[in-house]
Amino acid sequence: IGTVYSNGNIDGNNSGTLIDGDAYAVTTISAPRPTVTGSKNEGAAPQDLPSVDVDYWKARANINNDPYIGDLEISGPSNTLGPRKIQGNLTIRSSAKLTATGPIHVTGNLSLRSNADLHIAESFVASSTVVLIEGIVDFGSNTEVHATTALPKGYLLLLSTSTSTLAISVNSNQFIEGALYAPDGTVEINSNADILSIAGYRVHLGSNADITYDFGLRDVDFTGGASTGAEILNWREQ
């Protein structure tokens, strides 16, 4: 639901595939699927992916120069983290809740086990921040990512710099109120996922995946911390 853009092809493999909005592809858009309710535009002009200063966010996450060395596992209903560098893997265990209070940099993988919740602190109000992962991101079943309750909202951008075909993998029954970004890898969405925004080198949507674009993400200000007020990145999707 919203505009879809591809620097390559848009391929709709199944009878139920639908773009409720406009579709743009530099090369081709398959026919007769996906159904496109808006304009169908082949031969579109190439567009760059959104620009993110990765080095900046690494520095902001480690601003206190106190990286956590080793793999970190989060359990329990009330945990906060950020700004912080994790020199290893970060795992949010089943039914655990983690609130990001600043940017987070994970040098390994990020894993959200079943029924895990990831929130951005309400103190961000309408600003947003980044969770930067050098490895892969794996969302287990029934996991959730939440924006702030402000209007406009503040969001988390989960960015994987991995080149893997599973740079970001979303399993069944997710609610992700934020943006997923894999500029060099593949975002793989499996069944029954509900997500606000995706950008990647390659994106694959499985059965019953629902991407409902939130226009509030177009002009989000990303900050280094809830109290810094520094507007660093303008996240704009074409």
Side-chain angles (χ1 to χ4, degrees), residues 219-236:
D219 299 301
V220 166
D221 292 319
F222 286 82
T223 73
S227 62
T228 66
E231 297 180 357
I232 304 301
L233 172 70
N234 185 274
W235 169 264
R236 176 174 288 279

Side-chain angles (χ1 to χ4, degrees), residues 1-16:
I1 302 175
T3 298
V4 174
Y5 179 88
S6 174
N7 271 345
N9 302 324
I10 297 175
D11 296 320
N13 294 327
N14 301 318
S15 60

Side-chain angles (χ1 to χ4, degrees), residues 139-143 169-175 188-195 204-211:
F139 289 89
S141 58
N142 302 301
T143 55
S169 178
V170 180
N171 292 309
S172 58
N173 303 311
Q174 273 80 20
F175 172 75
E188 177 81 20
I189 309 299
N190 294 312
S191 59
N192 301 302
D194 187 1
I195 303 170
H204 179 258
L205 307 182
S207 58
N208 300 308
D210 185 8
I211 313 302

Side-chain angles (χ1 to χ4, degrees), residues 52 56-58 60-61 81-84 99-105 118-132 145-148 153-159 177-180 217 220-228 230 232-233 235:
V52 178
Y56 170 83
W57 288 108
K58 288 181 179 180
R60 290 300 299 182
L81 184 67
R84 201 69 186 273
T99 299
T101 53
I104 299 170
H105 171 206
L118 178 60
H119 293 248
I120 181 172
E122 288 292 335
S123 53
F124 276 93
V125 191
S127 296
S128 302
T129 198
V130 174
V131 180
L132 172 64
V145 176
H146 293 273
T148 67
K153 297 179 179 180
Y155 302 91
L156 285 172
L157 169 63
L158 287 94
L159 165 65
E177 194 179 21
L180 305 180
L217 280 161
V220 166
D221 292 319
F222 286 82
T223 73
S227 62
T228 66
I232 304 301
L233 172 70
W235 169 264

Side-chain angles (χ1 to χ4, degrees), residues 52-64:
V52 178
D53 189 340
V54 170
D55 290 336
Y56 170 83
W57 288 108
K58 288 181 179 180
R60 290 300 299 182
N62 196 37
I63 195 170
N64 297 316

